[in-house]
Amino acid sequence: MSSLLDKLERAGNRLPDPSVLFIAGALLIALLAELAVGLQWQAVRWLGPDQSELVLARSVLQGEGVWWWLSTMVQNFIQFPPLGIVLVGMLGIGLAERCGLLPALICAAGNAIQDRYLIPATLFIGVMSSLAMDAGYVVLPPLAATLFMAAGRSPILGIVTSFAGVSAGFGANLLITSIDPLLAGFTQSAAQIITPDYKVAVTSNWWFMAVSTIVLTFSGWAITQYWVAPRTERLAFDAQAAEPLLQLSGEQRSALRWAAVAFIVVLLSAVIATLWSEGPLHGMGTHFPRWVEATVPLLFLLFLLPGVVYGLRVGSIRSSKDAAGFMGATLADLGPYIVLAFFAAQFIAIFKYTHLGEMLALTGGAWLAGMELNVFVLLCAFVLLVCLGNLLIGSMSAKYAFYAPVFVPMLMQAGVSPELTQVVYRIGDSVTNVITPFNPYMIIILALLQKYHRQAGVGTLISLTLPYSVGFLLAWMLLLLFWLLLALPLGPSA
């Protein structure tokens, strides 16, 4: 295992920045399109039982293609679906995190846990912590270590359990998070390679991921009790390394109550606006129900207003400049994502312009359909591919920007909806987060682990988290099989 991890680490370190990978990918697509034009490669698009048309490759390296790219470069970026929705949603979430609301919520939830429910509650809070972006990695593991010690359990078990919930359960949540608009934008762009007017709702995975949260909590509880806990109990730990249990001040508790009131007011207002026949969110929008199309703005308000109320009460926000500063800092942290989005937008646009995306989808989809594979077998193959990719490229958005333009349209041709492909991607991307050396937070977890057990290394951490990776994968895929057999909707407007 140690040798394999060393090889993975060396291979991953040789990979350039994802933006450079997209540049290389766009150049490769341009060269392949030139080859396809020279070879006169054709694909058949069926329009009906007896109607079809030929799809031909287009060059992007010759005069018209070069002019197209230069004239649409800015438009490709501005109209890139994931860009705007992620920036808007993250403004509210970022403010709520930076003013202290989301970390305080995690601490309050942790302190309220009864000893008998410590394991499932830690797993549940870990899964739900994706609401707070990456705050769960920083706040929950040290808190869990202290809570487990106070309950007479190994702090190592608390660290590993919380890490499993935060990392391996990252794709699931009871609520819509920043992940949903991000992935929906990529999925929509990819689906439009085949169906130009296809729309993917931000809520398209909501029902499945909400149930997944419960399934992962209980399956993780069993994994912890029967496999992980016996291993951690054999590891000696330094009891002197424990930190005092974090306690919220009276001011913070009062601020949390006021923030809860603000959250309820916004939520009730949205519900009334949806149910009331004259409400602005009642009825159908352009493609989906209005409340579905307004999910991202609602997400922005549901985090922004409680965050402002909390910040004003505890003093982290003293003026409008502080609130604007928190949101500005959030956008500054998104700088690498904006750079990535620019090059990913060009990559997808070139893929679409050359017709290679459509031709690969038509040809590959026809091949997959001709194999007459069971749909679940097809999805299992895709989830394993994503799991392997996650061992080398940790970024969820970077991987999906590569996978989506190829696999979303191809699987559409084999009868798999874009929303279902997105669900399967989320499963594969989440479960291996706890065992990949390229999870940027693994070094933080390892340092915390070594604080209690000095002999611990990467191998120790992997041996403790691997059962969660395998167990979560099996539980999630069984849930997906159950979902497919009952033909349940993946989410509203999916």
Side-chain angles (χ1 to χ4, degrees), residues 49-72:
D50 299 313
Q51 292 181 308
S52 65
E53 64 180 10
L54 293 178
V55 181
L56 306 175
R58 289 197 292 185
S59 170
V60 77
L61 297 179
Q62 298 178 23
E64 284 300 315
V66 173
W67 164 244
W68 163 84
W69 181 60
L70 291 175
S71 63
T72 61

Side-chain angles (χ1 to χ4, degrees), residues 165-210:
V166 173
S167 195
F170 183 73
N173 209 288
L174 290 179
L175 305 174
I176 298 294
T177 71
S178 58
I179 300 171
D180 294 275
L182 172 67
L183 296 182
F186 282 115
T187 304
Q188 179 174 300
S189 294
Q192 288 176 351
I193 292 175
I194 293 295
T195 308
D197 59 347
Y198 199 97
K199 300 294 181 182
V200 177
V202 172
T203 57
S204 61
N205 294 164
W206 192 359
W207 303 150
F208 182 82
M209 288 305 164

Side-chain angles (χ1 to χ4, degrees), residues 285-359:
T286 306
H287 301 284
F288 306 112
R290 287 185 176 183
W291 74 269
V292 173
E293 294 190 357
T295 299
V296 173
L298 290 174
L299 187 68
F300 167 71
L301 294 174
L302 283 168
F303 282 95
L304 177 73
L305 296 182
V308 169
V309 169
Y310 180 87
L312 289 173
R313 295 289 297 181
V314 300
S316 59
I317 296 178
R318 299 183 183 276
S319 68
S320 58
K321 291 182 180 179
D322 293 330
F326 286 145
M327 289 188 283
T330 299
L331 291 185
D333 286 346
L334 287 174
Y337 168 74
I338 296 172
V339 173
L340 174 70
F342 173 79
F343 291 106
Q346 307 309 320
F347 169 80
I348 292 175
I350 290 173
F351 206 40
K352 189 174 182 179
Y353 175 83
T354 59
H355 290 163
L356 280 190
E358 183 177 3
M359 296 172 75

Side-chain angles (χ1 to χ4, degrees), residues 379-442:
L379 297 179
C380 286
F382 181 54
V383 79
L384 290 176
L385 177 66
V386 177
C387 287
L388 292 174
N390 196 38
L391 294 177
L392 289 175
I393 304 176
S395 170
M396 170 184 271
S397 56
K399 283 196 307 295
Y400 198 52
F402 275 116
Y403 283 133
V406 177
F407 291 102
V408 169
M410 186 181 294
L411 290 173
M412 284 174 71
Q413 298 299 297
V416 178
S417 72
E419 294 86 350
L420 180 55
T421 301
Q422 180 177 297
V423 160
V424 176
Y425 175 80
R426 293 174 73 159
I427 294 173
D429 177 76
S430 294
V431 296
T432 47
N433 279 336
V434 287
I435 60 172
T436 171
F438 303 104
N439 183 336
Y441 292 98
M442 181 169 278

Side-chain angles (χ1 to χ4, degrees), residues 424-467:
V424 176
Y425 175 80
R426 293 174 73 159
I427 294 173
D429 177 76
S430 294
V431 296
T432 47
N433 279 336
V434 287
I435 60 172
T436 171
F438 303 104
N439 183 336
Y441 292 98
M442 181 169 278
I443 188 65
I444 296 176
I445 303 300
L446 182 59
L448 181 62
L449 192 63
Q450 290 172 340
K451 178 180 176 181
Y452 292 94
H453 183 64
R454 294 183 180 180
Q455 292 75 34
V458 174
T460 308
L461 183 56
I462 297 297
S463 68
L464 293 172
T465 55
L466 186 59

